[in-house]
Amino acid sequence: MKNKKLVSLLAVAALTASVIAGCGSTTTEPATATEEPAQEEAAEVAEESTEEEAAGEEVVAEEATEEAAAEEDEENYDTGDASFDNPRNADEIGENELMVISFGTSYNDSRRLTIGAIEGAMEEAFPDWSVRRGFTSQIIIDHVKSRDGEVIDNVGEALDRAVANGVKKLVVQPTHLMDGLEYNDVVDEVAQYADAFEQIAIGKPLLTSDEDFKTVMEVITAETAEYDDGNTAICFMGHGTEADSNQVYGKMQDLLTEAGYEHYYVGTVEAEPSLDDVLAKVQEGEYTRVVLMPLMIVAGDHANNDMAGDEEGSWKTIFEAAGYEVVPVVRGLGEFEGIQQLLVQHAKEAVDSLH
């Protein structure tokens, strides 16, 4: 039964860490010729160990300093009031659960306007299902709890909660952009619970089929149509990944170009196309203004800092240094109804796969 359920689960998803060495001699007798090399070697080992200890302590101190600086820096940003967000982690939810899995964000307003809005759309579309939340980023979960007192389940906690609540039918709908490393980590973790529910299914990520790409293209061009005046380059910033799924960004660029959206450009923070690639393409045109927008579900740290931040090296400052007027539009894809409904559609396909 377990194998059968696991095969079924994966089929739906397809559719969808010092050694301190010290030597010493207690003798007071003079060292012999044979003892001298050994003592010299021991001294060298002890010296190396001391150096390693010091280096290790320096690394730990540096990491602690960087972490403290990062936390202090983040507090300089007004991320909104967490009390308006619904963590959707209540118990006594019935036998049918729709679990929405997201990477997450510590930006409270964006979390509510994107992930929260997607979850709300799920609740409206599936009135007979209890919608619950799970985040994959433990760092975000811990920070939100420490800063705001809001408790958000990680994936394992959300699954354990579902088991404890007696859920029989479980549908998991990730909000991930692509079938990449994080999405597959979710699939693997959920697979470990294959025997915990009578039926279980996983919905597909946002960009799966050609029709999905077309839908997302239509949404992002409609949401930015007011800027498309011929003098403006509209640039989308994705995250990027080392996985093969990074090709989704090039595919979206090709689709935009083929559809006649010649002033639209797609790049990534951590992969290709890079910021340099996007800048080079923009400089080929006769633009005076650049609009920046995240190609991500949420508008979190990357959108607010790497894209729209005033620090040296952000997309905003790089384009400004190149002579352009820059207009950052800090809105995650999850804010747009068309994106919410596309994820609802994927969840519906997963629900329909149950019997």
Side-chain angles (χ1 to χ4, degrees), residues 97-273:
E97 177 177 338
L98 174 53
M99 186 185 300
V100 181
I101 301 296
S102 305
F103 177 82
T105 179
S106 63
Y107 282 70
N108 295 324
D109 283 345
S110 182
R111 187 169 65 253
R112 171 176 53 84
L113 294 171
T114 57
I115 294 171
I118 292 169
E119 294 163 344
M122 296 289 181
E123 287 175 331
E124 184 174 346
F126 304 97
D128 297 328
W129 292 71
S130 294
V131 176
R132 290 298 177 264
R133 170 186 295 180
F135 280 6
T136 61
S137 175
Q138 191 64 46
I139 292 176
I140 288 174
I141 291 171
D142 292 344
H143 186 68
V144 171
K145 182 179 180 180
S146 174
R147 184 190 64 194
D148 304 310
E150 179 177 345
V151 178
I152 299 173
D153 288 343
N154 60 30
V155 179
E157 291 167 340
L159 288 166
D160 288 340
R161 189 185 297 276
V163 173
N165 275 276
V167 170
K168 294 181 178 180
K169 291 184 178 182
L170 176 68
V171 168
V172 176
Q173 179 56 58
T175 65
H176 295 75
L177 201 71
M178 66 191 80
D179 183 0
L181 300 176
E182 290 180 6
Y183 176 82
N184 286 292
D185 284 346
V186 171
V187 172
D188 292 342
E189 188 163 5
V190 173
Q192 298 174 30
Y193 287 74
D195 278 345
F197 307 98
E198 291 182 3
Q199 297 182 63
I200 187 170
I202 300 182
K204 297 176 294 187
L206 184 70
L207 292 172
T208 301
S209 67
D210 289 343
E211 192 62 31
D212 294 340
F213 277 85
K214 181 180 178 181
T215 298
V216 172
M217 178 191 71
E218 292 172 348
V219 172
I220 64 177
T221 54
E223 294 291 343
T224 54
E226 63 182 290
Y227 304 108
D228 192 11
D229 58 6
N231 298 314
T232 301
I234 303 168
C235 304
F236 288 89
M237 185 192 76
H239 186 279
T241 176
E242 295 180 355
D244 292 340
S245 52
N246 191 74
Q247 56 85 27
V248 300
Y249 301 107
K251 183 172 181 176
M252 182 60 73
Q253 179 67 78
D254 292 342
L255 189 60
L256 286 162
T257 302
E258 292 167 4
Y261 294 102
E262 58 183 322
H263 307 305
Y264 283 73
Y265 303 92
V266 178
T268 67
V269 183
E270 299 185 1
E272 295 180 351

Side-chain angles (χ1 to χ4, degrees), residues 24-32 35 39:
S25 175
T26 58
T27 180
T28 58
E29 297 179 2
T32 65
E35 290 173 335
Q39 290 176 346

